[in-house]
């Protein structure tokens, strides 16, 4: 099974929005870490927000910050976590938009199309990520069993 996933052109801009939103959230978390009284004594508190910002920015670099939207291939081993964060962000935003009762039918249909495309990609990403994790776990168990069998000889 491949470790890449195709991002359809019609949702590339949505993912960009999700990535920018998540970068802003990580920046907020970084600011919170800095505002704590004992920030100088605990530099490790900066590591998670910085790592997350780096991962989100790397995916945004990969798909382009503002270039014209076209289908994009993304490597899940490198960008899986950032892609999941962006998808969660946009699914949440779009669910909120669907709850807005002031939407006309045309707008509601467009939002529903976006939700369906985001959901389809999210399911694909999650299943491929989980399958890769399970294969890794099976390989470790198989390797341990093989070494155990060798040790019993």
């Amino acid at each position: 099974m491949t470790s890449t996933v195709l991002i359809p052109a019609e949702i590339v801009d949505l993912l960009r929005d999700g990535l920018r939103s998540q970068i802003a959230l990580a920046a907020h978390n970084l600011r919170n870490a800095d505002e704590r009284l004992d920030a100088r004594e605990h530099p490790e508190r900066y590591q998670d927000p910085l790592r997350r910002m780096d991962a989100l920015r790397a995916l945004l670099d990969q798909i382009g910050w503002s270039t014209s939207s076209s289908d994009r291939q993304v490597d899940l081993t490198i960008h899986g976590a950032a892609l999941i964060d962006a998808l969660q962000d946009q699914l949440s935003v779009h669910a909120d938009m669907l709850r807005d009762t002031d939407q006309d039918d045309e707008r509601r249909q467009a939002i529903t199309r976006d939700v369906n495309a985001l959901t389809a990609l999210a399911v694909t990403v999650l299943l491929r990520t989980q399958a890769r994790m399970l294969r890794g776990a099976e390989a470790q168990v198989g390797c341990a069993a093989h070494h155990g069998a060798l040790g019993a000889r």
Side-chain angles (χ1 to χ4, degrees):
M1 182 172 279
T2 180
S3 66
T4 62
V5 66
L6 179 72
I7 310 293
E10 63 267 11
I11 62 171
V12 169
D13 282 337
L14 298 175
L15 288 177
R16 288 176 179 141
D17 292 343
L19 289 165
R20 284 190 283 271
S21 172
Q22 291 298 302
I23 288 170
L25 180 60
H28 176 76
N29 292 338
L30 186 63
R31 182 174 166 209
N32 286 345
D34 190 55
E35 290 176 346
R36 295 188 63 168
L37 293 176
D38 57 351
R40 288 185 179 178
E41 290 81 36
H42 296 281
E44 69 278 1
R45 291 182 184 150
Y46 294 87
Q47 294 307 309
D48 284 339
L50 287 171
R51 244 189 310 277
R52 189 155 181 253
M53 287 175 75
D54 288 344
L56 294 162
R57 195 181 69 232
L59 178 53
L60 202 44
D61 287 343
Q62 174 74 33
I63 66 172
W65 285 72
S66 64
T67 58
S68 62
S69 296
S70 60
D71 291 352
R72 307 287 180 158
Q73 288 286 336
V74 171
D75 187 334
L76 294 176
T77 58
I78 298 170
H79 302 294
L83 183 54
I84 290 169
D85 287 346
L87 286 164
Q88 286 178 322
D89 179 276
Q90 285 300 291
L91 283 166
S92 177
V93 166
H94 282 71
D96 289 343
M97 287 192 290
L98 283 175
R99 283 188 212 95
D100 182 2
T101 57
D102 294 336
Q103 301 288 345
D104 63 27
D105 285 342
E106 187 176 326
R107 180 70 180 136
R108 185 170 293 284
Q109 287 174 357
I111 294 168
T112 300
R113 272 193 309 275
D114 289 345
V115 166
N116 290 340
L118 289 164
T119 301
L121 180 59
V123 168
T124 299
V125 169
L126 291 171
L127 288 174
R128 287 190 184 169
T129 301
Q130 185 176 31
R132 201 174 71 250
M133 290 170 50
L134 289 172
R135 279 195 307 276
E138 288 172 354
Q140 287 179 345
V141 169
C143 185
H146 177 74
H147 287 297
L150 289 176
R153 289 184 190 178

